[in-house]
Amino acid sequence: MNKKQLAEAAARGDEQAFLQLMNNEKQQMLRIAYAYMRNEADALEAIQETVCRAWLKRNSLKKPGYISTWLIRILIHVCTDELRRRKRTIPADTRQESLQGGMESDHHSLDETDAAENRLDIAYAVEQLEGPYKDVIRLKYYEDMTIVDIADILQRPDGTIRTWLHKALKQLRKYMADRGGAKER
């Protein structure tokens, strides 16, 4: 069976077809979830919640050929919901510390090099972007998706995605320029 046939069967309640679809999509879902959650355990939990929601909402899949887009959209909602919930429960003064601490562990094998610091700065700067800008950057640069694919996933016109990408990059450049200026003093 091809992806569309599997999606059609899953939408009708075929558990085996659904499991095969999830197995086919798991690597991409893990990369996206990790880009949002920044650690493997939270990413796996987000995927588990996504699979549950997808199974429960399988009847709402209108175009089986777009199963990947549909799953990614659910995954992004799960991740952003969890991050929003955490933001409400973590005191403001510890947010930056926990975010930077998590990122440092991702790069523990690198000695205190400028490249590692830049990656940390960029990752932190991406986290500071507004929701849709952050989504566009993650999908474009972490997942290497096209503008058209991102527009499908976020259900926005291509022009809106291009605008968000332009504004996000502008904000990131400004942040990095400000950080560079602060280091020279």
Side-chain angles (χ1 to χ4, degrees):
M1 273 194 230
N2 65 28
K3 188 188 278 190
K4 185 177 178 183
Q5 291 169 327
L6 283 172
E8 288 169 348
R12 290 190 305 268
D14 183 339
E15 290 181 28
Q16 290 302 323
F18 183 78
L19 289 174
Q20 189 173 348
L21 272 172
M22 294 302 106
N23 194 41
N24 294 347
E25 300 293 325
K26 70 182 176 185
Q27 290 302 319
Q28 182 178 27
M29 289 173 55
L30 182 59
R31 285 192 312 270
I32 292 170
Y34 189 84
Y36 278 84
M37 305 309 292
R38 304 301 298 163
N39 77 55
E40 188 176 355
D42 290 343
L44 291 172
E45 192 172 312
I47 291 171
Q48 184 177 12
E49 177 65 20
T50 300
V51 170
C52 289
R53 287 186 191 183
W55 176 253
L56 293 172
K57 295 179 181 186
R58 67 189 181 279
N59 297 332
S60 70
L61 178 61
K62 294 177 182 115
K63 296 181 182 178
Y66 291 100
I67 185 76
S68 296
T69 301
W70 183 73
L71 286 170
I72 292 169
R73 192 175 308 129
I74 293 171
L75 179 61
I76 289 171
H77 286 292
V78 167
C79 291
T80 54
D81 289 349
E82 176 61 19
L83 291 171
R84 217 176 286 126
R85 185 191 67 75
R86 287 181 186 179
K87 202 172 198 177
R88 287 191 305 260
T89 60
I90 299 174
D93 59 336
T94 60
R95 267 190 226 139
Q96 184 173 354
E97 288 174 23
S98 65
L99 177 62
Q100 288 176 336
M103 288 185 294
E104 287 168 1
S105 66
D106 291 342
H107 301 289
H108 63 82
S109 63
L110 297 174
D111 294 326
E112 299 287 322
T113 63
D114 288 337
E117 287 181 22
N118 279 341
R119 280 194 295 273
L120 291 173
D121 284 347
I122 291 169
Y124 181 75
V126 169
E127 293 303 316
Q128 304 311 304
L129 294 172
E130 295 174 24
Y133 298 165
K134 193 182 317 182
D135 293 339
V136 170
I137 292 292
R138 285 176 175 152
L139 293 172
K140 176 74 175 150
Y141 295 105
Y142 296 166
E143 287 303 311
D144 200 28
M145 291 185 173
T146 65
I147 298 293
V148 173
D149 291 340
I150 297 169
D152 285 344
I153 289 169
L154 299 180
Q155 297 180 314
R156 296 287 191 260
D158 296 1
T160 300
I161 301 304
R162 283 186 179 85
T163 300
W164 287 352
L165 180 60
H166 175 75
K167 288 181 178 181
L169 291 172
K170 186 176 179 181
Q171 287 180 14
L172 290 173
R173 281 188 208 102
K174 181 181 180 330
Y175 174 83
M176 294 309 289
D178 290 349
R179 295 283 298 165
K183 287 181 182 177
E184 293 174 11
R185 288 183 203 164

